[in-house]
Amino acid sequence: MANPSFSTHLGMVDILPGEVEKWQFIESRIRDIARTFHFREIRTPFLEDTGLIARGVGKTTDIVSKELFAFERGDDRYVLRPEGTASVCRAYIEHNLHLKGGVQKFFYMGPMFRAERPQKGRQRQFHQFGAEIMGSADPLADAEIIAFMVALYHSLGIKNTTLRLNSVGDPESREAYKKALVEYFRPNVNLLSDISQKRLETNPMRILDSKEPEDQVLIEQAPVITEYLNEESAKHLRQVQKHLDRLGIEYVDDPRLVRGLDYYTRTAFELSSPDLGSQDALGGGGRYDLLIEELGGPATPSVGFAAGLERLLIACDALNIPLGTQPELDVYIVTRGDDAKKWAFRHLKPLRDAGLSASMDIANRSMKAQMKEADRELAKWTLIVGDEELQTEQFTLRNMAESYEEKLHFADILKKLVGL
Ligand code: HAM
C-alpha cells in the first residue's frame, strides 16, 4: 500500500472515474429538465466577497458565523461560497439583468463550501444544483420552482420523499412572531440547550430547528407562525398550496419549518427522504423578496431552491437506481513489436477522427497484459497487430463479447466500425 504524503482535507472528497459517470448522468439529467422548464444556466465564481455572504445569508446564521472558509489577500476579503443564491443576486445586480425586463429563470450547479462536521451526506465541499426565479411575486413562481425541484427526483424514480411547506411571513409578521417566541421561551430559558439559549438572543426562530433532545418538548408546545401571518402572507401561502394541488405535487404543511438562512420571506420548503439517514434534506428553498434590494439592487421579488447532489446520489444508491455506467471503449489496438506499435499509434487518429473511442498500450506491456487492459476498459473490439499483419495488411479484428475474429484491411475495419 502506498503511504501518501498528502491527502484531501477533512470533508473534501475526490470523485474518481467509476463515480464520475454517475455525476455526469445526473448533471445531464438536470440540464435536460432545466431545458424543459426553460431555466438558463448561470455560472458565478467560487470566491465571493465576505461582505456579500454575511449580508446575504445573515450574520447570525451558522453558515456565516461558524462555517465560512474565508481569507484575506491585500485589501480584499474572500470567502468560498457556501451557497449560490447570494452570488446569483450579486450577478443580477452587477450586470443590470433587471433591464432585460420580465421574469428571469436561472439554474446552476457546482461546488459549495461549508466548514461543517463531516458525516454521511454532509461534506465541507459539496455540490448543489439550484434554481432562482427573479422578478415575480406571484405564487405561480413558487409553484414553478417547486415543480422544477421535484421533477428531477421523480424523473429518477425517487418518489418516497416528503415536501414540507411553510410561510415564514414578511418582516412585519415575523417580528410579531419572534416577539411571541421570545415571550414563550424566556420563562423556561434554563431548560433550553446552550445553543438555543444563545439563539433566543440572536435568532429565536432558529430554536425551532434545534435537534437537541432537551429542546424538543418546549418546541412542540411553541406558538406557530401560521397564527402570526398577516393577511397578505397567509393568502400567498394558500395560493401556493392551491397551485401545488393542481400540479398533483403532494406536500405537508409544517408550521415549524424554518430554514438555516436569513433571507427568506413568506414561502419556505424542504424536500426530505427517509433513505438519507440523519441528514435527510434533499433540498430546500423559498422566497426572498427583499434580498436583491438589500444587496443594493432594485426591488425584485424572487424565489429559489438548491439541492445537494451528494444526497441525491445517496438516495439513488439506497433505492438501487442505476445511474451512468463506465463508458465502453470502441477499439483497443493490441500490438506485438515496435513496428506494430508505431503503426497503431498512427492509426488511432483515423479511428478517433471517425468518432470512435480508441486506445492502445503506451507502457510497453506484454500482449497478455494488453488483452487484460482491453477487458478492463470494456473494449468492444480489439485490433491485433504484429509483423505478419503489417506485411499482409490484414489485421485481426476481434469482437470481445462474442469472441469471434476476422481478418480485414484497415479501411474495411474503419468502415465496419463506423457503420455499426
Ligand atoms: P440549504 O438548505 O442551505 O439552501 O442547502 C440546500 C441543500 O444543499 C440541502 O438541502 C442539502 O441537500 C445540501 N447541503 C447543504 N449543506 C451541505 C453539506 N455540508 N454537505 C452536503 N450537502 C449539503 C441553500 O443553500 C439555499 N441557497 C437554497 C435557496 C436557493 N433558497 C433560495 N434559493
Side-chain angles (χ1 to χ4, degrees):
M1 286 295 273
N3 182 15
S5 305
F6 300 103
S7 54
T8 52
H9 279 297
L10 184 71
M12 311 268 165
V13 175
D14 295 315
I15 306 170
L16 303 179
E19 270 300 294
V20 160
E21 288 78 16
K22 297 183 184 173
W23 284 78
Q24 290 169 336
F25 179 90
I26 298 277
E27 285 158 7
S28 92
R29 182 62 66 86
I30 291 170
R31 286 180 203 290
D32 286 347
I33 292 177
R35 186 187 59 75
T36 63
F37 277 78
H38 198 57
F39 278 64
R40 308 270 306 270
E41 184 171 356
I42 183 164
R43 299 186 187 191
T44 58
F46 299 174
L47 288 179
E48 288 286 359
D49 190 288
T50 312
L52 167 72
I53 302 299
R55 260 232 249 156
V57 176
K59 281 204 177 80
T60 61
T61 60
D62 285 354
I63 296 176
V64 170
S65 64
K66 297 199 282 212
E67 298 166 0
L68 288 185
F69 285 100
F71 63 94
E72 287 178 22
R73 194 183 148 84
D75 290 336
D76 294 318
R77 293 170 68 216
Y78 295 89
V79 67
L80 279 165
R81 63 180 186 188
E83 59 103 54
T85 309
S87 303
V88 178
C89 290
R90 179 201 44 68
Y92 181 89
I93 300 166
E94 186 170 340
H95 304 288
N96 284 313
L97 297 183
H98 65 282
L99 295 180
K100 286 182 186 279
V103 175
Q104 312 229 6
K105 305 200 291 186
F106 304 105
F107 81 96
Y108 50 88
M109 282 187 261
M112 307 291 164
F113 305 84
R114 297 182 191 175
E116 297 189 85
R117 194 172 47 78
Q119 62 182 89
K120 184 181 169 202
R122 192 159 78 185
Q123 294 174 189
R124 291 186 157 193
Q125 175 175 331
F126 60 100
H127 298 76
Q128 281 185 344
F129 84 96
E132 316 289 347
I133 299 180
M134 298 185 161
S136 171
D138 193 309
L140 260 186
D142 309 46
E144 167 92 336
I145 208 84
I146 291 173
F148 180 25
M149 177 175 78
V150 166
L152 175 68
Y153 297 97
H154 281 189
S155 87
L156 289 167
I158 302 178
K159 297 207 166 125
N160 61 340
T161 53
T162 306
L163 176 67
R164 290 183 299 138
L165 183 68
N166 192 19
S167 172
V168 293
D170 53 18
E172 183 191 87
S173 321
R174 211 164 33 243
E175 270 323 299
Y177 180 54
K178 274 187 191 163
K179 223 171 122 209
L181 276 183
V182 173
E183 273 167 23
Y184 167 79
F185 283 116
R186 180 83 69 205
N188 294 310
V189 62
N190 295 332
L191 301 178
L192 287 172
S193 63
D194 288 350
I195 173 95
S196 291
Q197 291 192 15
K198 274 194 206 112
R199 283 179 175 156
L200 189 58
E201 305 306 323
T202 56
N203 200 343
M205 278 174 71
R206 296 278 302 137
I207 297 177
L208 302 180
D209 213 19
S210 160
K211 303 271 180 297
E212 305 295 324
E214 63 262 53
D215 294 338
Q216 299 312 313
V217 179
L218 278 178
I219 290 174
E220 264 168 42
Q221 311 289 326
V224 289
I225 187 146
T226 334
E227 291 157 21
Y228 294 83
L229 293 180
N230 57 21
E231 182 43 31
E232 277 300 295
S233 292
K235 187 170 154 213
H236 189 93
L237 178 60
R238 281 197 302 275
Q239 288 183 337
V240 175
Q241 290 165 334
K242 279 200 190 125
H243 289 313
L244 292 178
D245 291 340
R246 281 185 205 113
L247 292 175
I249 295 177
E250 286 177 22
Y251 57 87
V252 177
D253 289 313
D254 182 353
R256 292 203 170 77
L257 173 71
V258 286
R259 307 248 315 121
L261 305 102
D262 273 357
Y263 46 62
Y264 293 113
T265 47
R266 297 193 175 161
T267 314
F269 56 87
E270 220 158 74
L271 188 73
S272 58
S273 155
D275 299 312
L276 289 181
S278 68
Q279 300 301 315
D280 68 349
L282 283 166
R287 185 162 270 292
Y288 50 96
D289 286 346
L290 306 172
L291 180 59
I292 293 183
E293 206 174 351
E294 247 164 58
L295 297 174
T300 311
S302 303
V303 60
F305 80 88
L309 289 180
E310 282 79 4
R311 295 187 190 179
L312 174 61
L313 285 163
I314 293 172
C316 287
D317 276 350
L319 297 167
N320 287 322
I321 294 171
L323 301 174
T325 47
Q326 180 180 340
E328 286 181 336
L329 177 62
D330 291 319
V331 198
Y332 187 94
I333 312 183
V334 176
T335 58
R336 194 188 318 108
D338 262 4
D339 290 340
K341 196 151 280 176
K342 284 177 201 147
W343 181 94
F345 200 53
R346 259 190 300 123
H347 285 78
L348 285 173
K349 182 167 168 22
L351 290 167
R352 290 169 176 166
D353 286 350
L356 298 163
S357 58
S359 190
M360 64 177 276
D361 168 53
I362 45 172
N364 207 18
R365 280 171 298 181
S366 68
M367 272 188 82
K368 198 171 148 210
Q370 295 180 40
M371 287 306 285
K372 254 197 187 160
E373 175 161 86
D375 267 338
R376 197 176 54 235
E377 296 303 321
L378 307 182
K380 285 194 263 183
W381 301 87
T382 46
L383 180 58
I384 300 160
V385 187
D387 289 341
E388 191 194 314
E389 284 84 355
L390 288 177
Q391 247 164 31
T392 58
E393 295 193 1
Q394 296 265 326
F395 303 94
T396 308
L397 182 67
R398 181 181 172 81
N399 183 303
M400 297 294 278
E402 291 160 31
S403 297
Y404 74 81
E405 299 183 349
E406 54 186 324
K407 288 212 162 203
L408 294 168
H409 278 112
F410 182 71
D412 294 327
I413 289 172
L414 197 56
K415 254 192 239 148
K416 179 176 171 117
L417 296 185
V418 171
L420 282 174

